[in-house]
Amino acid sequence: MKILVDVMGGDNAPSAHIEASVKAVSELDVDIVLIGDENVIKSELSKYGDYRADRISIVHAPEVISNHEEPVKAVKRKKDASVVVAAHMLKNGEGDAMLSMGNTGALLTAALLIVGRIKGIQRPALGAILPTAKGPKLLIDAGANTNCKPENLVQFAMMGDVYMRNIYNIDSPAVGLVSNGEEEGKGDDLTKKTHTRMKDMPFNFIGNIEGRDIMEGNSDVMVCDGFVGNVILKTIEGMGHMIGDMIKDMFSQTIRTKLGALFVMNSIKDFKKKMDYREYGGAPLLGCRRPVIKGHGSSDALAVYCAIKQAKMFVATDVIDGISKKLAACDLTKGAEEDNV
């Protein structure tokens, strides 16, 4: 299996990406293609004296799309940008999956314009794995689509159902629609219409879920438009940082609290690991013809490594084939060509 890694995107590029790739080829039985400035990549690789050089290759892509550039224009203009080159390689079958920690809009645009959508899918959606009281759960859409129609959200739910079945081996994932109340009549016009349509779909729709249900993990798939999803995602990230800082301050106030920390240190470490976004890899862009993973912009080597592992699982479990089959079963292919960049 060959994973394409855009090494020029993200706050810690390219060092974190290359460190993770060196580890991945020795532990995950994958081949890695590092895409970016060849001289920079070779210089970084030279720091690792003993690595599986036979499983790592380099494709030169000297241009980078920064976070301040307009995605569509940049993707069309910068043909040698690392994310654009990676997308073309994925489309042409020169890799089995790709991942990038760079400009989200650029990745979404490259995936849509170059890699393309699964036939019948109107809009690909980002699925973010959230740590909850009942284990990892999927939030979809986490930021790819801000103006949605009911049929878009129904497709998001269907893709989320397939992802949780294949990746987490859940027989019948509980699908919840994010709203401001559990009652069927709650929510805006989009939520109400989506609720009506979801009731007739061949997946386990449990109805509306409220904000408090998200971190309690009361549904395996949490469905909303990208605007709401991104606000939820960023709020949880902020909450995680706040809780971590509060715990640190609480146990560092006095000698007594410092001694107390020694007795609960293992529990604190376990809690921190469960809440650590790095452990869950990146956000799969569900709905594309080939596997695409969007990593967090601040990803370090651990986060990139987990994203590579996630990409391998994405390919191995045939998520895309599963989505195609589920799409046909749900009869959600009408109007699929109406949405374009």
Side-chain angles (χ1 to χ4, degrees):
M1 185 182 300
K2 186 176 291 184
I3 310 297
L4 309 173
V5 180
D6 166 18
V7 303
M8 306 307 292
D11 299 339
N12 298 307
S15 58
H17 307 62
I18 293 174
E19 180 183 345
S21 297
V22 168
K23 181 181 180 183
V25 295
S26 65
E27 297 181 359
L28 300 180
D29 189 29
V30 295
D31 293 319
I32 299 289
V33 180
L34 302 174
I35 303 169
D37 189 298
E38 185 174 12
N39 292 329
V40 173
I41 294 173
K42 287 183 176 179
S43 175
E44 195 66 33
L45 277 173
S46 67
K47 299 176 182 178
Y48 302 89
D50 183 22
Y51 69 91
R52 292 292 304 274
D54 60 314
R55 306 207 70 167
I56 293 180
S57 57
I58 301 171
V59 170
H60 184 51
E63 293 184 296
V64 179
I65 297 177
S66 72
N67 288 328
H68 304 292
E69 295 183 76
E70 200 285 314
V72 176
K73 291 181 180 178
V75 167
K76 291 181 177 180
R77 186 177 70 253
K78 292 188 171 181
K79 303 298 184 182
D80 290 326
S82 51
V83 67
V84 176
V85 172
H88 279 292
M89 291 182 65
L90 185 65
K91 176 185 178 181
N92 296 332
E94 299 173 68
D96 298 295
M98 69 170 282
L99 61 95
S100 174
M101 279 65 185
N103 184 313
T104 301
L107 177 62
L108 297 178
T109 301
L112 186 56
L113 293 182
I114 300 171
V115 180
R117 297 169 289 180
I118 296 171
K119 185 177 181 180
I121 291 295
Q122 294 182 10
R123 300 185 185 182
L126 281 171
I129 296 296
L130 303 182
T132 75
K134 297 178 182 177
K137 307 297 180 182
L138 183 73
L139 175 71
I140 185 169
D141 180 18
N145 306 280
T146 55
N147 296 307
C148 294
K149 301 174 183 177
E151 51 266 33
N152 301 142
L153 268 62
V154 175
Q155 287 195 348
F156 298 167
M158 177 274 298
M159 293 191 290
D161 170 84
V162 174
Y163 190 82
M164 295 304 283
R165 285 174 185 271
N166 290 31
I167 301 296
Y168 288 94
N169 297 314
I170 301 174
D171 291 334
S172 182
V175 178
L177 178 63
V178 178
S179 185
N180 63 336
E182 295 181 354
E183 299 84 359
E184 182 174 347
K186 285 293 184 71
D188 57 10
D189 188 57
L190 172 63
T191 306
K192 292 176 184 177
K193 290 181 178 178
T194 302
H195 189 288
T196 299
R197 292 200 60 182
M198 280 195 184
K199 290 192 297 182
D200 299 324
M201 291 295 109
F203 48 72
N204 182 21
F205 178 52
I206 62 172
N208 290 348
I209 59 171
E210 298 179 297
R212 63 186 176 187
D213 295 311
I214 292 172
M215 294 309 293
E216 291 180 4
N218 292 331
S219 64
D220 300 302
V221 181
M222 298 163 284
V223 183
C224 55
D225 64 48
F227 180 86
V228 172
N230 197 253
V231 170
I232 291 172
L233 185 63
K234 295 300 173 59
T235 300
I236 292 173
E237 287 179 2
M239 182 183 68
H241 290 308
M242 181 195 71
I243 292 174
D245 290 341
M246 290 177 66
I247 292 175
K248 183 178 179 180
D249 291 342
M250 181 174 61
F251 284 110
S252 62
Q253 291 178 359
T254 66
I255 295 296
R256 180 176 294 181
T257 58
K258 290 178 181 178
L259 289 173
L262 296 175
F263 295 97
V264 295
M265 188 56 67
N266 288 336
S267 295
I268 292 174
K269 288 180 179 178
D270 288 342
F271 172 76
K272 185 177 180 181
K273 184 178 178 68
K274 289 178 181 178
M275 294 297 293
D276 192 348
Y277 77 88
R278 299 176 302 172
E279 297 286 343
Y280 299 96
L285 184 57
L286 300 176
C288 292
R289 290 177 183 167
R290 308 294 300 279
V292 177
I293 303 289
K294 171 65 180 79
H296 200 289
S298 61
S299 294
D300 60 9
L302 173 60
V304 179
Y305 174 82
C306 290
I308 294 172
K309 184 162 61 174
Q310 180 188 22
K312 178 183 178 181
M313 182 68 73
F314 197 143
V315 176
T317 57
D318 292 326
V319 171
I320 292 175
D321 183 60
I323 289 174
S324 296
K325 292 178 179 177
K326 192 77 172 183
L327 186 66
C330 292
D331 191 25
L332 296 174
T333 59
K334 294 179 180 179
E337 301 304 321
E338 66 184 30
D339 291 322
N340 295 295
V341 173

